[in-house]
Amino acid sequence: GENVEQHPSTLSVQEGDSAVIKCTYSDSASNYFPWYKQELGKRPQLIIDIRSNVGEKKDQRIAVTLNKTAKHFSLHITETQPEDSAVYFCAASQGGSEKLVFGKGMKLTVNP
Amino acid sequence: KAGVTQTPRYLIKTRGQQVTLSCSPISGHRSVSWYQQTPGQGLQFLFEYFSETQRNKGNFPGRFSGRQFSNSRSEMNVSTLELGDSALYLCASSPASSGANVLTFGAGSRLTVL
C-alpha cells in the first residue's frame, strides 16, 4: 500500500520568511496530492491540492510542486505570518482509489 | 450549507466497553471516510464508505467496524476498547463517486479510554 513520509516534523521561522515542507510517497499510481492545515483544537482543512497531470499549482502565498519521477511533492509558503502557525499534513491517494494516506504532519511555528 | 457533523464530541469509556460514533456528511456527499488521529501518528485511515458499501479499508483490527445508511450518514463502532484506542476520530465526506477528491472533515469525536 501507499506510504507517505513527511519532513521535517517541526519548523520554526520568523515572520516574513518562507517555509518549505517536503513529502515523499511510494505508490507510483498515486494521482492526487492534497495538503491540509490543522490549527490547534480544530479540524484539518484543505489549503491546496494537486493532481498528477500538473507539476505546480499556486494560490496566493502558497504553492505546491510535484515531481512524479522522484515521487515527492512539496508545499511552499512565502511571506509567512503568525496565523500560518499550525500543523500541516500532506497526503497521497492510494493509486487511483478514494483512500488518502496522510503523512505524520509538520508543526510550523511563525514567530512575530 | 451545513458541514460534516460528528457526535458525540467527547466521550469517556473504560477498557472492554464498546463505543459507537456517528457522522452526518455534507448534503449531497455520498462518500464518508474515517480516520484515527493520535499525537505523533498523524491521521490513520480506518475505512471509506460509498452507497452503503465499504470500498476501502485500513489496517486496523476487526474490533473497528463501520457502516453507512441510505441517507449517507455513517457510524463506526469500536468493540472491546483498549487504552490505545484513545484518540480523536475524524470523519470526512467527499462528493466524489469514484477516485480521490477533496475531503471535508468534521470536528471529530474525542474518545478517552480509561
Side-chain angles (χ1 to χ4, degrees):
Chain A
E2 175 69 280
N3 183 48
V4 177
E5 300 284 341
Q6 184 172 353
H7 52 93
S9 58
T10 61
L11 179 63
S12 182
V13 300
Q14 290 300 120
E15 183 176 1
D17 287 350
S18 294
V20 180
I21 311 167
K22 299 179 181 180
C23 287
T24 59
Y25 61 98
S26 61
D27 187 349
S28 57
S30 295
N31 62 6
Y32 178 62
F33 307 89
W35 286 87
Y36 283 81
K37 174 184 180 182
Q38 186 176 31
E39 297 178 46
L40 190 61
K42 298 192 176 181
R43 70 194 74 189
Q45 292 197 301
L46 179 78
I47 55 171
I48 196 167
D49 57 6
I50 193 168
R51 295 197 181 267
S52 58
N53 57 347
V54 177
E56 183 176 2
K57 184 176 178 180
K58 290 184 180 180
D59 183 3
Q60 299 183 337
R61 294 186 298 110
I62 61 174
V64 58
T65 58
L66 171 65
N67 183 326
K68 288 190 293 182
T69 303
K71 288 190 279 189
H72 69 68
F73 57 114
S74 301
L75 177 72
H76 304 253
I77 306 173
T78 59
E79 300 172 22
T80 54
Q81 301 166 3
E83 50 265 40
D84 293 330
S85 296
V87 177
Y88 291 81
F89 292 96
C90 63
S93 61
Q94 180 163 293
S97 80
E98 302 76 18
K99 175 180 176 180
L100 284 183
V101 178
F102 283 78
K104 293 187 177 181
M106 189 213 75
K107 182 177 180 181
L108 175 66
T109 303
V110 181
N111 301 300
Chain B
K1 57 185 176 182
V4 179
T5 304
Q6 292 188 245
T7 57
R9 290 292 315 280
Y10 304 91
L11 63 167
I12 300 173
K13 295 285 186 178
T14 57
R15 281 183 301 173
Q17 288 187 311
Q18 72 166 14
V19 65
T20 299
L21 310 177
S22 178
C23 172
S24 293
I26 290 172
S27 177
H29 286 194
R30 294 167 61 193
S31 171
V32 174
S33 298
W34 289 88
Y35 287 84
Q36 180 195 66
Q37 185 173 24
T38 54
Q41 291 300 312
L43 287 80
Q44 295 189 288
F45 178 82
L46 283 155
F47 23 66
E48 184 257 348
Y49 287 87
F50 180 82
S51 289
E52 302 177 66
T53 300
Q54 186 182 89
R55 286 196 298 193
N56 295 282
K57 189 176 188 302
N59 299 320
F60 278 80
R63 300 186 297 108
F64 292 81
S65 62
R67 59 178 176 168
Q68 187 181 35
F69 302 94
S70 58
N71 62 357
S72 294
R73 188 177 71 86
S74 178
E75 289 181 348
M76 67 163 283
N77 183 277
V78 188
S79 62
T80 319
L81 284 166
E82 300 177 359
L83 296 179
D85 296 333
S86 295
L88 180 66
Y89 290 88
L90 290 163
C91 160
S93 72
S94 167
S97 58
S98 66
N101 212 305
V102 176
L103 295 182
T104 302
F105 283 90
S109 293
R110 184 166 296 280
L111 170 65
T112 301
V113 181
L114 302 176

